[in-house]
Amino acid sequence: KKPCVQSGAMLRSLGLFCILGVCASEFADDEPSVAKSLRGGTNPTTPDPMNFQEAEMIESLMQDFAAALERFYQSYFGNYGPARKYLNVVTDSSPFVVQAAAMAFWAYDLDYFEDRWAGSNDWAGGWKVVKKYINTTSKSLAPGLDVIALFRRGDECVLSFAGTTGLADWTTNLNIKSLQSLEECGLQNVHEGFFEDFVQFMLGDAWSDDMEPEIMSNCGGRLSVTGHSQGGTLAEIFATCVNRVDNVTLPDLWRWGELVHPGRMVSTRVTVTGLYGIASPGSTVEYQLENASPGGIFPGMRFFNMDSESFDPVPWITVVLNYQHAKYQAVQLPGPKTGSKEDLVKHEGGTYDARWQPVTSAVFGKSISLGDHLGPEYLRRILAFTREVSITIVAGQNFSEECLLGGVNPYIEVQVGEDETKETYFTEKVNAGLLGAAYWNASFILTTYEPGNAIQLSAWNDCAKDFKMGKVVLQSVEFDPTGFTGWLSLDTGAELEISVQIEQLQF
């Protein structure tokens, strides 16, 4: 195992240097004169002894450098807008696993969620954010933010752990200098950075004063937990601990040489009934976190993206370092455009693959894709495998009477998607008759439809040479997520009766 750890350390270092290198280049472009101002004398390559003013300038330089790092991070990872078109179409009829996965990503975007779904516009049947834990990290090179949100709908509760929200959180991700244990609640050989984040949350007032009382009072002490990336690993640690004991004595928490929280006994009377992890790294070495129930398997599911061409590197990189996952089911999500629903690979909880996948042999020959780690790609794949969108062309009327010699023999072209993902379907050609009405009752499954795609319907006439008798575009917001049934007016005055159905599927 020692060579694996060494190669893993090398990978971590290379990745960090890569990030720093890009950001340093950005900083150099923004402030080319600052570095020169730190040099003295006539030889710009030989600095004079540092004085007080130069020390202040270096401190300012580090602040600017941290800001450049954060700009780089946010430009790639911090834009949550693209995920919203997927999140907004999750409904109360969506499988619970889809709702839980969506809440893992809503934790990054709470301000938008609370604004968009305030009042009567309830998301997925009424989920609301009832409690929040927000911890700002300032004592590091770049700022970070720990966010944990408690969602409630009626008597159902879901605790959502946000993943990495700033560069400072990478100090947590890369903090593997030792392993931590808290055996009284089932935690052994836990990744130190994730363990410290768990302890910091549990020692804070938000859990003891707000969240646990809310869960006990309004959800019967039962909840599901969810999280993306680092948040998924924190969900594993949390679920393991609280399901073991009704209270736990937590150790002192030290960071940056200072006592952040003194240790104390914390109440953990709640029970986790569902565990959902998306793109999460492993949590423990030479020990697997288990549920307190017989068999030790948590109800729930862990997702990771991997197809024939690329894969999400985050769940894999900790495998190189011998970190494994808690005991629950793992699901490999292929790209929906390159596979079919039969390509889903499920690894049942308690198996070797559920504990370790994706292993190095599985990713060999594939490209690392950071885009595969982000929310939009996970949500795109999850929705593609849990929804079936279909359209039925029922009837039409008021078609043009041109091409009288050939009669009016209309057929309908259906187009959905863009560029290389565009699908085209055609109904059969029928005779409209003397009244100019046609009947098809033709149905098509739109296999490449994604939230945000419009459906274009064009009417054609079959005569000596086909010609278009009009078109209409049905925008995504008009039928997704609740479907559409009715008549549409084409730009020529003709009309089409159609129905768009969205069926929810289970994994």
Side-chain angles (χ1 to χ4, degrees):
K1 293 182 179 177
K2 190 173 181 181
C4 289
V5 174
Q6 290 176 340
S7 62
M10 183 181 299
L11 286 171
R12 290 198 315 278
S13 299
L14 288 173
L16 185 59
F17 291 151
C18 178
I19 291 174
L20 294 178
V22 173
C23 297
S25 298
E26 178 184 346
F27 173 73
D29 291 340
D30 289 345
E31 300 289 346
S33 62
V34 177
K36 294 179 182 178
S37 70
L38 295 176
R39 305 293 185 181
T42 58
N43 185 352
T45 63
T46 305
D48 287 339
M50 186 180 298
N51 55 36
F52 179 76
Q53 289 78 15
E54 288 176 332
E56 285 188 326
M57 293 176 70
I58 288 179
E59 182 178 358
S60 175
L61 172 63
M62 293 301 293
Q63 292 173 352
D64 290 341
F65 180 61
L69 285 171
E70 188 65 15
R71 284 199 303 274
F72 165 76
Y73 180 90
Q74 293 299 333
S75 68
Y76 197 90
F77 295 101
N79 183 9
Y80 308 123
R84 293 171 185 168
K85 69 177 182 179
Y86 302 102
L87 294 168
N88 286 334
V89 300
V90 176
T91 70
D92 57 346
S93 62
S94 301
F96 185 80
V97 61
V98 177
Q99 298 177 44
M103 281 182 268
F105 294 104
W106 276 131
Y108 292 105
D109 204 10
L110 291 179
D111 288 343
Y112 172 83
F113 176 87
E114 293 180 299
D115 181 62
R116 169 68 174 80
W117 296 103
S120 60
N121 295 322
D122 293 333
W123 178 76
W127 287 104
K128 298 289 187 185
V129 177
V130 292
K131 302 294 180 183
K132 290 183 284 189
Y133 164 82
I134 299 176
N135 176 61
T136 302
T137 302
S138 58
K139 291 187 175 182
S140 60
L141 185 61
L145 194 67
D146 298 326
V147 178
I148 302 171
L150 180 63
F151 292 81
R152 183 167 67 84
R153 179 180 64 185
D155 62 356
E156 299 175 281
C157 280
V158 172
L159 189 64
S160 177
F161 295 81
T164 303
T165 55
L167 277 170
D169 287 341
W170 282 100
T171 62
T172 296
N173 298 341
L174 299 174
N175 182 7
I176 60 169
K177 60 181 179 289
S178 66
L179 300 172
Q180 300 295 321
S181 297
L182 195 60
E183 295 187 10
E184 68 177 282
C185 70
L187 301 179
Q188 293 187 41
N189 299 343
V190 179
H191 180 291
E192 183 174 21
F194 300 148
F195 180 85
E196 289 183 351
D197 268 9
F198 162 72
V199 170
Q200 180 161 311
F201 165 59
M202 297 299 289
L203 286 175
D205 295 336
W207 170 251
S208 298
D209 296 349
D210 298 327
M211 292 184 175
E212 192 197 38
E214 175 75 20
I215 297 165
M216 297 301 297
S217 298
N218 294 309
C219 296
R222 301 167 71 82
L223 76 157
S224 295
V225 292
T226 186
H228 169 251
S229 193
Q230 171 188 319
T233 307
L234 290 174
E236 291 184 10
I237 297 168
F238 175 89
T240 300
C241 186
V242 303
N243 278 13
R244 290 275 176 176
V245 292
D246 288 337
N247 54 71
V248 60
T249 301
L250 296 170
D252 292 345
L253 178 64
W254 291 81
R255 279 183 169 172
W256 308 291
E258 295 183 8
L259 181 64
V260 179
H261 283 292
R264 62 182 175 90
M265 181 177 289
V266 174
S267 174
T268 54
R269 296 170 293 164
V270 302
T271 300
V272 172
T273 57
L275 171 60
Y276 302 92
I278 300 93
S280 50
S283 53
T284 55
V285 173
E286 296 181 349
Y287 182 81
Q288 186 176 30
L289 300 181
E290 295 187 351
N291 198 1
S293 61
I297 298 175
F298 287 99
M301 211 171 282
R302 172 176 70 89
F303 297 102
F304 63 95
N305 281 342
M306 184 171 68
D307 54 42
S308 60
E309 298 177 356
S310 63
F311 68 99
D312 173 3
V314 172
W316 164 74
I317 191 63
T318 50
V319 174
V320 176
L321 302 173
N322 298 313
Y323 284 88
Q324 57 191 281
H325 291 276
K327 205 171 188 179
Y328 64 130
Q329 186 181 53
V331 176
Q332 175 188 330
L333 294 170
K337 291 186 179 66
T338 59
S340 65
K341 292 180 177 60
E342 287 71 32
D343 290 327
L344 280 174
V345 180
K346 298 180 181 179
H347 305 293
E348 296 301 321
T351 63
Y352 173 90
D353 286 326
R355 176 188 293 197
W356 289 106
Q357 287 289 0
V359 296
T360 299
S361 60
V363 304
F364 184 79
K366 300 177 175 64
S367 300
I368 289 176
S369 172
L370 290 178
D372 283 358
H373 182 66
L374 303 184
E377 186 59 25
Y378 270 95
L379 291 166
R380 185 177 77 91
R381 298 188 188 198
I382 288 172
L383 289 176
F385 287 99
T386 56
R387 302 200 314 167
E388 184 175 88
V389 181
S390 61
I391 185 170
T392 300
I393 311 300
V394 180
Q397 61 187 17
N398 301 327
F399 291 111
S400 168
E401 296 185 1
E402 296 183 47
C403 281
L404 290 179
L405 292 177
V408 181
N409 302 298
Y411 63 97
I412 305 303
E413 177 187 22
V414 180
Q415 286 188 330
V416 63
E418 300 176 357
D419 300 329
E420 69 275 6
T421 67
K422 184 178 291 185
E423 286 182 296
T424 302
Y425 306 91
F426 296 95
T427 66
E428 293 183 354
K429 302 167 184 178
V430 299
N431 192 299
L434 296 176
L435 299 178
Y439 301 91
W440 293 279
N441 284 317
S443 297
F444 309 99
I445 297 174
L446 308 180
T447 57
T448 62
Y449 170 79
E450 295 182 14
N453 288 162
I455 300 175
Q456 179 175 294
L457 302 163
S458 301
W460 297 85
N461 189 23
D462 177 29
C463 56
K465 184 176 181 181
D466 290 357
F467 68 92
K468 187 177 287 188
M469 296 189 295
K471 72 174 183 179
V472 63
V473 176
L474 187 66
Q475 299 295 336
S476 178
V477 295
E478 299 179 78
F479 64 87
D480 195 359
T482 57
F484 174 89
T485 298
W487 287 88
L488 298 174
S489 295
L490 280 62
D491 54 5
T492 56
E495 295 178 304
L496 283 179
E497 182 184 8
I498 71 163
S499 177
V500 181
Q501 302 87 30
I502 300 178
E503 180 184 358
Q504 305 292 337
L505 308 173
Q506 297 291 336
F507 273 107

